[in-house]
Amino acid sequence: QPSRKIQTLQAPPDMAPANVTLRTASETSLWLRWVPLPEWEYNGNPDSVGYRVQYSRTGAQSKALLHVIADRLEREFTIEDLEEVQAINGIGAGPWSQPVRGRTR
């Protein structure tokens, strides 16, 4: 006999996106890439999973900027106008990735 169906509560992602890399895209932009979370790490509804990218200029006194990417399959973002990537779902945010640094040309 099959057991009854049980659904667990949603939770924020437990892990950060993997292999975060940053490369020069142009004189004024950087290209950020990461490996998207595997489906079993979503900890929630797949339609609510995405990523937040936080970036700032080194040594700048200005507040860090955030960019939200709603597509759970996305794996890159070009930072225009010049650090970290975080997985999110409908319940909350997971841990930040390790910071990566890059330079424009």
Side-chain angles (χ1 to χ4, degrees), residues 30-88:
L30 296 168
W31 184 48
L32 182 68
R33 286 189 57 119
W34 61 89
V35 174
L37 286 184
E39 190 171 334
W40 59 87
E41 293 290 347
Y42 290 169
N43 291 350
N45 180 346
D47 294 332
S48 69
V49 174
Y51 303 94
R52 285 196 298 203
V53 177
Q54 177 178 307
Y55 57 98
S56 63
R57 292 181 183 207
T58 302
Q61 298 300 321
S62 62
K63 195 173 172 180
L65 300 172
L66 281 176
H67 180 81
V68 176
I69 300 165
D71 184 352
R72 70 182 178 271
L73 301 177
E74 188 59 68
R75 58 182 56 232
E76 63 185 54
F77 173 67
T78 301
I79 302 169
E80 305 283 347
D81 304 324
L82 325 152
E83 99 197 7
E84 304 167 334
V85 181
Q86 176 185 50
I88 58 173

Side-chain angles (χ1 to χ4, degrees), residues 22-32 77-82 102-105:
L22 189 63
R23 298 191 193 280
T24 300
S26 74
E27 289 79 10
T28 60
S29 62
L30 296 168
W31 184 48
L32 182 68
F77 173 67
T78 301
I79 302 169
E80 305 283 347
D81 304 324
L82 325 152
R103 290 180 171 251
T104 59
R105 290 186 195 141

